[in-house]
Amino acid sequence: MHKPPLDQIFYIPQRPYLPKGTLRDQLIYPDSHEDQKKKGVTDSDLDDLLREVRLEYIVGREGGYGAENDWNDVLSGGEK
């Protein structure tokens, strides 16, 4: 049995926390949009990440990264 260092452990709860706000907010949580800009993370980077997990269609379906919805109702269990 091997326990990785703490900086390599990421906890994913069974029930995801989806903050109020935009689709972008869901993807960059706990960072803010300002934090995202300061780190140099672009929407193109988010596109790449969504493509990697085969969820790129969500951006178009929901109206872009600036779209605000009740994400707990909009996203399926698998999308969350």
Side-chain angles (χ1 to χ4, degrees), residues 1-78:
M1 188 174 237
H2 169 76
K3 180 181 174 190
L6 287 178
D7 65 341
Q8 293 181 8
I9 296 175
F10 187 80
Y11 171 73
I12 300 176
Q14 186 172 359
R15 188 171 212 180
Y17 170 71
L18 300 174
K20 290 185 179 185
T22 66
L23 178 57
R24 180 183 293 103
D25 294 331
Q26 309 314 303
L27 298 171
I28 64 174
Y29 178 83
D31 288 342
S32 68
H33 194 198
E34 277 303 312
D35 295 334
Q36 176 192 10
K37 289 181 198 176
K38 287 177 188 173
K39 291 180 179 181
V41 177
T42 66
D43 286 353
S44 179
D45 295 325
L46 297 180
D47 291 339
D48 293 343
L49 291 171
L50 286 172
R51 195 172 304 105
E52 195 170 317
V53 295
R54 293 178 171 57
L55 292 174
E56 66 274 7
Y57 62 88
I58 292 176
V59 179
R61 184 187 77 190
E62 298 305 326
Y65 288 113
E68 291 192 31
N69 279 308
D70 183 347
W71 299 107
N72 282 305
D73 290 338
V74 172
L75 300 175
S76 73

